[in-house]
Amino acid sequence: MIVNLYNQKGAGPKHISLNFIQEVLSSNLDAKFFLLVPDNNDYNFLTSEGRVEIIKLCCPKNVFFKIGFRVYLELFLIPFIVKRFGVNKILAFGNFNFSPISIRKIVLLHHPYLVDDDLLSQLEYKPRFIEKLKRIGFYLTTKMVDTVVVQSSYMKNILIKKYPKHKFSIQMIPNPISSILKIRSESLTTKDLIEKREASITTHLNLLYVSRYYPHKNHLFLIQLSKLLNQIGISHNIKVTVDPSLVESQTFLRSISPRDISIINIGELKQEELAQYYENTHMFLFPSRAETFGNPLIEAMCYALPVIVPDLEYARSIVGSAGLYYSEDNAEECMEIIKTLLIDSEYYFYKSNQSFEQFKNYPTTTEWFEKYMTLIR
Protein backbone atom coordinates (compact mmCIF):
# COMPACT_ATOMS: atom_id res chain seq x y z
CA MET A 1 0.00 0.00 0.00
CA ILE A 2 0.93 3.66 -0.42
CA VAL A 3 0.63 5.93 2.61
CA ASN A 4 0.82 9.53 1.44
CA LEU A 5 2.15 11.81 4.20
CA TYR A 6 3.64 14.34 1.81
CA ASN A 7 1.96 17.52 3.11
CA GLN A 8 2.07 16.62 6.81
CA LYS A 9 4.35 19.48 7.89
CA GLY A 10 2.42 21.36 10.60
CA ALA A 11 3.11 20.40 14.22
CA GLY A 12 -0.05 18.32 14.77
CA PRO A 13 -0.11 16.48 11.40
CA LYS A 14 3.65 15.86 11.64
CA HIS A 15 3.39 14.18 15.06
CA ILE A 16 0.47 12.04 13.91
CA SER A 17 2.40 10.99 10.81
CA LEU A 18 5.50 10.10 12.81
CA ASN A 19 3.32 8.06 15.18
CA PHE A 20 1.91 6.18 12.18
CA ILE A 21 5.37 5.53 10.73
CA GLN A 22 6.61 4.23 14.09
CA GLU A 23 3.66 1.82 14.26
CA VAL A 24 4.35 0.61 10.71
CA LEU A 25 8.01 -0.03 11.56
CA SER A 26 7.19 -1.91 14.77
CA SER A 27 4.26 -3.93 13.39
CA ASN A 28 4.48 -7.48 12.07
CA LEU A 29 2.24 -6.85 9.05
CA ASP A 30 3.23 -8.62 5.83
CA ALA A 31 2.19 -5.70 3.60
CA LYS A 32 4.72 -3.68 1.63
CA PHE A 33 4.48 0.02 2.56
CA PHE A 34 5.49 2.92 0.33
CA LEU A 35 5.59 5.97 2.61
CA LEU A 36 5.60 9.32 0.81
CA VAL A 37 7.04 12.02 3.09
CA PRO A 38 8.32 15.60 2.68
CA ASP A 39 12.06 15.98 2.28
CA ASN A 40 12.66 18.20 5.31
CA ASN A 41 14.37 18.04 8.70
CA ASP A 42 11.44 16.43 10.51
CA TYR A 43 11.59 13.32 8.32
CA ASN A 44 15.30 13.26 7.41
CA PHE A 45 16.13 10.51 9.92
CA LEU A 46 13.86 8.00 8.16
CA THR A 47 15.43 5.33 5.96
CA SER A 48 13.96 2.46 3.96
CA GLU A 49 14.13 -0.94 5.55
CA GLY A 50 12.70 -4.31 4.58
CA ARG A 51 9.04 -4.00 3.68
CA VAL A 52 8.99 -0.22 4.29
CA GLU A 53 10.10 2.03 1.44
CA ILE A 54 10.57 5.71 2.34
CA ILE A 55 10.15 8.08 -0.61
CA LYS A 56 11.17 11.67 0.18
CA LEU A 57 9.60 14.35 -2.00
CA CYS A 58 10.74 17.93 -2.60
CA CYS A 59 8.80 20.78 -0.96
CA PRO A 60 8.46 23.80 -3.30
CA LYS A 61 8.03 27.17 -1.58
CA ASN A 62 6.14 29.03 -4.32
CA VAL A 63 2.38 28.41 -4.17
CA PHE A 64 2.09 27.71 -7.90
CA PHE A 65 5.03 25.29 -7.82
CA LYS A 66 3.30 23.59 -4.87
CA ILE A 67 0.14 23.16 -6.94
CA GLY A 68 2.15 21.92 -9.94
CA PHE A 69 4.02 19.38 -7.87
CA ARG A 70 0.80 18.16 -6.27
CA VAL A 71 -0.72 17.58 -9.70
CA TYR A 72 2.44 15.71 -10.76
CA LEU A 73 2.30 13.61 -7.58
CA GLU A 74 -1.37 12.64 -7.98
CA LEU A 75 -1.52 12.20 -11.76
CA PHE A 76 1.90 10.76 -12.56
CA LEU A 77 4.09 9.62 -9.65
CA ILE A 78 1.46 7.75 -7.62
CA PRO A 79 -0.01 5.98 -10.69
CA PHE A 80 3.54 4.99 -11.71
CA ILE A 81 4.25 3.45 -8.27
CA VAL A 82 0.88 1.68 -8.33
CA LYS A 83 1.54 0.13 -11.75
CA ARG A 84 5.24 -0.64 -11.15
CA PHE A 85 4.81 -2.37 -7.79
CA GLY A 86 1.24 -3.69 -7.90
CA VAL A 87 -0.08 -1.40 -5.15
CA ASN A 88 -3.76 -2.01 -4.36
CA LYS A 89 -4.49 0.51 -1.57
CA ILE A 90 -3.76 4.17 -0.89
CA LEU A 91 -4.17 5.96 2.43
CA ALA A 92 -3.61 9.72 2.27
CA PHE A 93 -3.28 11.70 5.50
CA GLY A 94 -3.38 15.11 3.87
CA ASN A 95 -6.86 15.91 2.53
CA PHE A 96 -6.16 15.02 -1.11
CA ASN A 97 -6.29 11.66 -2.90
CA PHE A 98 -7.44 12.24 -6.48
CA SER A 99 -5.17 9.92 -8.47
CA PRO A 100 -7.24 8.46 -11.36
CA ILE A 101 -6.64 4.81 -10.52
CA SER A 102 -9.09 2.04 -9.63
CA ILE A 103 -7.84 0.78 -6.28
CA ARG A 104 -9.08 1.23 -2.70
CA LYS A 105 -8.53 4.84 -1.64
CA ILE A 106 -8.93 6.44 1.78
CA VAL A 107 -8.24 10.05 2.75
CA LEU A 108 -8.00 11.77 6.13
CA LEU A 109 -9.70 15.19 6.14
CA HIS A 110 -8.05 17.49 8.67
CA HIS A 111 -8.27 20.98 7.17
CA PRO A 112 -11.46 22.82 8.20
CA TYR A 113 -11.27 25.44 5.43
CA LEU A 114 -12.07 22.72 2.87
CA VAL A 115 -15.61 22.26 4.20
CA ASP A 116 -16.38 25.15 6.57
CA ASP A 117 -17.80 28.03 4.50
CA ASP A 118 -18.13 30.39 7.49
CA LEU A 119 -14.46 29.96 8.34
CA LEU A 120 -13.41 30.48 4.72
CA SER A 121 -15.38 33.76 4.49
CA GLN A 122 -13.34 35.24 7.38
CA LEU A 123 -10.06 35.06 5.44
CA GLU A 124 -8.54 37.95 3.53
CA TYR A 125 -8.49 37.81 -0.28
CA LYS A 126 -5.12 36.10 -0.90
CA PRO A 127 -5.40 33.25 1.64
CA ARG A 128 -9.07 32.78 0.66
CA PHE A 129 -8.03 32.40 -3.00
CA ILE A 130 -5.43 29.77 -2.04
CA GLU A 131 -7.99 27.89 0.04
CA LYS A 132 -10.41 27.90 -2.89
CA LEU A 133 -7.72 26.28 -5.04
CA LYS A 134 -7.33 23.63 -2.36
CA ARG A 135 -11.07 23.07 -2.42
CA ILE A 136 -10.81 22.06 -6.08
CA GLY A 137 -8.37 19.34 -5.07
CA PHE A 138 -10.65 18.15 -2.29
CA TYR A 139 -13.71 18.20 -4.56
CA LEU A 140 -11.85 15.92 -7.00
CA THR A 141 -10.86 13.76 -4.03
CA THR A 142 -14.51 13.25 -3.04
CA LYS A 143 -15.17 11.86 -6.54
CA MET A 144 -12.25 9.41 -6.36
CA VAL A 145 -12.10 7.98 -2.81
CA ASP A 146 -14.00 5.16 -1.15
CA THR A 147 -13.76 6.57 2.38
CA VAL A 148 -13.17 9.94 4.03
CA VAL A 149 -11.86 9.72 7.60
CA VAL A 150 -12.62 12.53 10.05
CA GLN A 151 -11.33 12.97 13.58
CA SER A 152 -14.40 14.32 15.34
CA SER A 153 -18.19 14.50 15.15
CA TYR A 154 -17.84 18.22 14.41
CA MET A 155 -15.91 17.50 11.21
CA LYS A 156 -18.32 14.73 10.26
CA ASN A 157 -21.28 17.12 10.54
CA ILE A 158 -19.78 19.91 8.42
CA LEU A 159 -18.52 17.41 5.83
CA ILE A 160 -22.05 16.04 5.41
CA LYS A 161 -23.43 19.58 5.29
CA LYS A 162 -20.98 20.49 2.51
CA TYR A 163 -21.42 17.23 0.58
CA PRO A 164 -24.97 16.02 1.41
CA LYS A 165 -25.19 13.75 -1.67
CA HIS A 166 -21.84 12.02 -1.26
CA LYS A 167 -21.01 8.52 -2.47
CA PHE A 168 -18.01 8.01 -0.19
CA SER A 169 -18.38 6.45 3.23
CA ILE A 170 -17.39 8.45 6.35
CA GLN A 171 -15.44 6.97 9.24
CA MET A 172 -14.56 8.76 12.49
CA ILE A 173 -11.17 7.89 14.00
CA PRO A 174 -10.07 10.21 16.84
CA ASN A 175 -6.38 10.99 17.15
CA PRO A 176 -4.22 9.35 19.81
CA ILE A 177 -1.77 11.09 22.08
CA SER A 178 1.94 10.87 21.30
CA SER A 179 3.52 7.92 23.11
CA ILE A 180 6.27 10.28 24.35
CA LEU A 181 3.78 12.51 26.18
CA LYS A 182 1.81 9.58 27.56
CA ILE A 183 4.91 7.96 29.03
CA ARG A 184 5.95 11.28 30.58
CA SER A 185 2.50 11.82 32.11
CA GLU A 186 2.54 8.36 33.66
CA SER A 187 5.70 9.21 35.63
CA LEU A 188 3.42 11.02 38.13
CA THR A 189 -0.01 10.00 39.36
CA THR A 190 -2.92 12.30 38.50
CA LYS A 191 -3.26 13.21 42.18
CA ASP A 192 0.44 14.13 42.38
CA LEU A 193 0.20 16.29 39.25
CA ILE A 194 -2.80 18.24 40.56
CA GLU A 195 -1.44 18.69 44.09
CA LYS A 196 1.88 19.90 42.71
CA ARG A 197 0.06 22.60 40.73
CA GLU A 198 -2.22 23.61 43.57
CA ALA A 199 0.80 24.32 45.74
CA SER A 200 2.00 27.08 43.40
CA ILE A 201 -1.13 28.32 41.62
CA THR A 202 -1.78 31.35 43.86
CA THR A 203 1.84 32.54 43.70
CA HIS A 204 2.12 32.88 39.94
CA LEU A 205 -0.38 31.52 37.42
CA ASN A 206 1.01 29.62 34.43
CA LEU A 207 -1.27 29.31 31.39
CA LEU A 208 -0.45 27.48 28.16
CA TYR A 209 -1.69 27.58 24.56
CA VAL A 210 -0.06 24.99 22.29
CA SER A 211 -0.72 25.79 18.64
CA ARG A 212 0.98 26.83 15.44
CA TYR A 213 0.10 30.32 14.24
CA TYR A 214 -2.79 30.50 11.75
CA PRO A 215 -5.53 33.17 11.55
CA HIS A 216 -8.24 30.85 12.89
CA LYS A 217 -6.09 29.90 15.90
CA ASN A 218 -7.06 33.27 17.40
CA HIS A 219 -3.82 34.10 19.23
CA LEU A 220 -4.85 37.77 19.39
CA PHE A 221 -7.55 36.82 21.92
CA LEU A 222 -4.77 36.10 24.43
CA ILE A 223 -3.60 39.74 24.34
CA GLN A 224 -6.96 41.00 25.53
CA LEU A 225 -7.17 38.26 28.18
CA SER A 226 -3.68 38.99 29.53
CA LYS A 227 -4.46 42.70 29.84
CA LEU A 228 -7.62 41.92 31.84
CA LEU A 229 -5.77 39.56 34.19
CA ASN A 230 -3.10 42.19 34.82
CA GLN A 231 -5.74 44.86 35.46
CA ILE A 232 -7.24 42.83 38.32
CA GLY A 233 -3.81 41.97 39.74
CA ILE A 234 -3.50 38.28 38.80
CA SER A 235 0.20 37.59 38.35
CA HIS A 236 0.49 35.27 35.36
CA ASN A 237 2.11 34.35 32.10
CA ILE A 238 0.61 32.77 29.02
CA LYS A 239 3.08 30.62 27.10
CA VAL A 240 2.51 30.17 23.36
CA THR A 241 4.28 27.97 20.82
CA VAL A 242 4.62 30.22 17.77
CA ASP A 243 7.31 29.76 15.14
CA PRO A 244 8.98 33.22 14.89
CA SER A 245 10.14 32.48 11.32
CA LEU A 246 6.55 32.50 10.04
CA VAL A 247 5.83 35.81 8.32
CA GLU A 248 2.17 35.63 9.40
CA SER A 249 3.13 35.53 13.08
CA GLN A 250 5.20 38.74 13.14
CA THR A 251 2.33 41.14 13.95
CA PHE A 252 1.26 39.00 16.91
CA LEU A 253 4.82 38.61 18.23
CA ARG A 254 5.36 42.38 18.09
CA SER A 255 2.07 42.91 19.93
CA ILE A 256 3.08 40.90 23.02
CA SER A 257 6.01 43.13 24.05
CA PRO A 258 4.17 45.85 26.08
CA ARG A 259 4.40 45.66 29.88
CA ASP A 260 0.69 45.13 30.39
CA ILE A 261 0.81 41.89 28.37
CA SER A 262 2.26 38.78 30.00
CA ILE A 263 2.64 36.46 27.02
CA ILE A 264 5.83 34.47 26.45
CA ASN A 265 6.63 32.72 23.18
CA ILE A 266 8.54 29.47 23.74
CA GLY A 267 8.55 28.58 20.02
CA GLU A 268 7.59 25.29 18.40
CA LEU A 269 8.96 22.45 20.51
CA LYS A 270 9.54 18.74 20.14
CA GLN A 271 7.13 16.52 22.06
CA GLU A 272 9.71 15.56 24.69
CA GLU A 273 10.41 19.28 25.33
CA LEU A 274 6.71 20.13 25.43
CA ALA A 275 6.03 17.56 28.15
CA GLN A 276 7.61 19.69 30.89
CA TYR A 277 5.31 22.62 30.04
CA TYR A 278 2.19 20.46 30.28
CA GLU A 279 3.44 19.17 33.62
CA ASN A 280 4.16 22.60 35.11
CA THR A 281 1.19 24.57 33.76
CA HIS A 282 -1.86 25.33 35.92
CA MET A 283 -4.50 25.72 33.20
CA PHE A 284 -4.74 25.12 29.46
CA LEU A 285 -6.20 27.70 27.06
CA PHE A 286 -7.38 26.90 23.55
CA PRO A 287 -9.13 29.93 21.97
CA SER A 288 -9.08 28.55 18.39
CA ARG A 289 -12.16 29.33 16.29
CA ALA A 290 -12.15 26.00 14.43
CA GLU A 291 -10.38 22.64 14.57
CA THR A 292 -10.64 19.35 12.78
CA PHE A 293 -9.53 17.79 16.07
CA GLY A 294 -7.04 19.68 18.22
CA ASN A 295 -4.36 17.29 19.47
CA PRO A 296 -3.18 19.67 22.23
CA LEU A 297 -6.63 19.32 23.84
CA ILE A 298 -6.16 15.61 24.53
CA GLU A 299 -2.52 16.20 25.45
CA ALA A 300 -3.61 18.71 28.10
CA MET A 301 -6.28 16.31 29.39
CA CYS A 302 -3.68 13.54 29.59
CA TYR A 303 -1.83 15.80 32.05
CA ALA A 304 -5.06 16.45 33.99
CA LEU A 305 -5.14 20.15 33.13
CA PRO A 306 -8.37 22.15 33.35
CA VAL A 307 -9.17 23.01 29.72
CA ILE A 308 -10.66 26.46 28.96
CA VAL A 309 -12.20 26.68 25.50
CA PRO A 310 -14.72 28.73 23.48
CA ASP A 311 -18.24 27.33 23.45
CA LEU A 312 -18.00 25.93 19.93
CA GLU A 313 -19.04 22.58 18.47
CA TYR A 314 -15.50 21.38 17.75
CA ALA A 315 -14.47 21.96 21.38
CA ARG A 316 -17.51 20.20 22.86
CA SER A 317 -16.97 17.24 20.52
CA ILE A 318 -13.46 16.71 21.95
CA VAL A 319 -13.52 17.97 25.54
CA GLY A 320 -17.15 17.16 26.40
CA SER A 321 -18.34 17.86 29.94
CA ALA A 322 -14.75 18.26 31.14
CA GLY A 323 -14.40 21.60 29.35
CA LEU A 324 -14.72 25.06 30.87
CA TYR A 325 -16.60 27.07 28.24
CA TYR A 326 -16.79 30.80 27.54
CA SER A 327 -18.63 32.61 24.75
CA GLU A 328 -16.40 32.90 21.70
CA ASP A 329 -14.03 35.91 21.90
CA ASN A 330 -15.41 36.95 25.30
CA ALA A 331 -12.22 37.59 27.29
CA GLU A 332 -14.13 38.70 30.39
CA GLU A 333 -15.99 35.38 30.63
CA CYS A 334 -12.70 33.56 30.16
CA MET A 335 -11.13 35.65 32.92
CA GLU A 336 -13.99 34.80 35.30
CA ILE A 337 -13.43 31.08 34.72
CA ILE A 338 -9.76 31.53 35.55
CA LYS A 339 -10.61 33.48 38.73
CA THR A 340 -13.00 30.74 39.88
CA LEU A 341 -10.37 28.03 39.39
CA LEU A 342 -7.86 30.16 41.30
CA ILE A 343 -9.97 30.78 44.39
CA ASP A 344 -11.84 27.45 44.60
CA SER A 345 -9.33 24.64 45.12
CA GLU A 346 -12.04 21.94 45.28
CA TYR A 347 -13.41 23.03 41.91
CA TYR A 348 -9.90 23.14 40.46
CA PHE A 349 -9.28 19.58 41.65
CA TYR A 350 -12.66 18.44 40.28
CA LYS A 351 -12.13 19.92 36.78
CA SER A 352 -8.58 18.58 36.65
CA ASN A 353 -9.84 15.07 37.41
CA GLN A 354 -12.63 15.47 34.86
CA SER A 355 -10.05 16.28 32.20
CA PHE A 356 -8.13 13.11 32.87
CA GLU A 357 -11.30 10.99 32.82
CA GLN A 358 -12.25 12.52 29.43
CA PHE A 359 -8.78 11.71 28.10
CA LYS A 360 -9.40 7.99 28.77
CA ASN A 361 -11.94 8.01 25.91
CA TYR A 362 -9.18 8.41 23.33
CA PRO A 363 -7.21 5.55 21.76
CA THR A 364 -3.57 4.66 22.28
CA THR A 365 -1.32 5.02 19.25
CA THR A 366 -1.45 1.26 18.64
CA GLU A 367 -5.27 1.14 18.88
CA TRP A 368 -5.50 4.10 16.49
CA PHE A 369 -3.13 2.45 14.00
CA GLU A 370 -5.11 -0.79 14.12
CA LYS A 371 -8.32 1.11 13.30
CA TYR A 372 -6.71 2.41 10.12
CA MET A 373 -5.39 -1.02 9.18
CA THR A 374 -8.82 -2.57 9.70
CA LEU A 375 -10.42 0.18 7.62
CA ILE A 376 -7.99 -0.11 4.73
CA ARG A 377 -8.40 -3.89 4.55
Side-chain angles (χ1 to χ4, degrees):
M1 70 178 71
I2 290 174
V3 182
N4 188 357
L5 307 168
Y6 168 63
N7 61 348
Q8 302 301 277
K9 300 166 193 154
K14 175 186 68 181
H15 292 312
I16 289 298
S17 296
L18 293 174
N19 282 338
F20 189 91
I21 293 169
Q22 185 57 48
E23 289 295 325
V24 168
L25 293 172
S26 61
S27 72
N28 57 4
L29 296 171
D30 293 331
K32 173 78 174 179
F33 286 86
F34 294 88
L35 304 181
L36 310 185
V37 301
D39 189 6
N40 64 24
N41 292 335
D42 296 317
Y43 295 88
N44 276 351
F45 70 95
L46 295 170
T47 56
S48 300
E49 53 179 85
R51 58 191 174 73
V52 179
E53 188 79 23
I54 304 292
I55 301 174
K56 296 177 182 176
L57 303 172
C58 68
C59 301
K61 300 294 184 185
N62 179 280
V63 65
F64 294 105
F65 286 153
K66 285 181 180 179
I67 293 169
F69 187 81
R70 187 78 207 199
V71 171
Y72 161 75
L73 174 63
E74 296 285 347
L75 301 189
F76 297 99
L77 183 57
I78 288 176
F80 169 77
I81 296 171
V82 168
K83 186 175 181 180
R84 174 70 177 80
F85 296 100
V87 171
N88 57 15
K89 303 178 181 75
I90 299 179
L91 168 62
F93 267 31
N95 306 302
F96 309 112
N97 193 350
F98 54 88
S99 296
I101 43 181
S102 298
I103 62 175
R104 181 154 175 73
K105 288 185 289 219
I106 297 170
V107 67
L108 169 62
L109 169 62
H110 62 70
H111 189 57
Y113 290 102
L114 295 173
V115 287
D116 191 330
D117 292 335
D118 291 337
L119 194 63
L120 183 70
S121 68
Q122 295 173 24
L123 291 177
E124 295 179 359
Y125 175 76
K126 183 179 178 180
R128 187 165 68 249
F129 174 72
I130 293 171
E131 292 301 334
K132 285 184 176 180
L133 292 178
K134 292 179 183 178
R135 282 191 168 202
I136 296 172
F138 184 69
Y139 171 77
L140 294 174
T141 295
T142 65
K143 300 298 182 183
M144 299 287 187
V145 296
D146 301 287
T147 304
V148 176
V149 177
V150 294
Q151 299 158 315
S152 67
S153 59
Y154 161 74
M155 281 302 294
K156 182 177 180 178
N157 291 339
I158 61 172
L159 173 61
I160 293 171
K161 181 180 178 181
K162 186 65 181 174
Y163 292 95
K165 296 181 180 180
H166 59 275
K167 293 183 179 179
F168 53 82
S169 65
I170 302 173
Q171 293 289 328
M172 190 168 69
I173 303 179
N175 284 357
I177 190 172
S178 165
S179 55
I180 293 170
L181 288 173
K182 193 169 191 304
I183 291 168
R184 285 293 187 91
S185 71
E186 288 171 347
S187 63
L188 288 169
T189 66
T190 305
K191 186 172 182 290
D192 289 338
L193 274 172
I194 300 170
E195 288 181 349
K196 177 184 174 185
R197 292 167 184 150
E198 282 187 313
S200 61
I201 193 170
T202 55
T203 305
H204 187 83
L205 178 64
N206 292 318
L207 302 160
L208 179 65
Y209 180 28
V210 175
S211 175
R212 196 169 230 212
Y213 189 89
Y214 294 110
H216 70 278
K217 297 291 188 175
N218 202 16
H219 283 79
L220 295 176
F221 172 83
L222 302 177
I223 295 174
Q224 186 183 1
L225 176 64
S226 184
K227 286 181 177 179
L228 288 174
L229 290 171
N230 279 323
Q231 285 171 12
I232 62 173
I234 294 180
S235 176
H236 73 284
N237 62 57
I238 303 172
K239 293 186 175 69
V240 295
T241 57
V242 173
D243 181 353
S245 69
L246 291 175
V247 175
E248 301 90 340
S249 70
Q250 297 308 308
T251 301
F252 168 71
L253 293 177
R254 286 194 296 269
S255 300
I256 64 176
S257 56
R259 290 184 179 181
D260 62 341
I261 300 172
S262 304
I263 299 175
I264 301 170
N265 182 33
I266 57 177
E268 288 192 359
L269 301 175
K270 295 179 179 178
Q271 295 277 274
E272 52 267 32
E273 298 171 319
L274 198 54
Q276 64 176 304
Y277 289 97
Y278 281 120
E279 186 176 319
N280 295 299
T281 290
H282 297 111
M283 303 171 200
F284 188 76
L285 298 169
F286 204 79
S288 179
R289 292 193 172 99
E291 293 292 320
T292 54
F293 187 74
N295 265 51
L297 291 171
I298 62 167
E299 292 169 1
M301 291 189 293
C302 178
Y303 279 79
L305 281 167
V307 175
I308 305 170
V309 284
D311 192 1
L312 296 172
E313 186 181 348
Y314 87 81
R316 288 196 175 274
S317 71
I318 302 301
V319 189
S321 60
L324 291 145
Y325 297 97
Y326 61 89
S327 301
E328 184 182 11
D329 286 331
N330 192 322
E332 291 191 1
E333 276 188 29
C334 185
M335 178 189 67
E336 290 300 324
I337 291 170
I338 292 169
K339 280 173 59 181
T340 302
L341 289 168
L342 268 174
I343 63 177
D344 190 337
S345 60
E346 287 187 9
Y347 186 60
Y348 180 84
F349 196 91
Y350 169 70
K351 294 306 293 185
S352 298
N353 265 319
Q354 255 198 323
S355 274
F356 187 72
E357 290 302 313
Q358 178 70 3
F359 162 73
K360 292 178 182 178
N361 293 321
Y362 292 96
T364 65
T365 305
T366 300
E367 290 168 344
W368 166 81
F369 176 75
E370 288 173 352
K371 286 178 185 290
Y372 271 103
M373 290 301 97
T374 300
L375 178 61
I376 206 164
R377 289 189 196 107

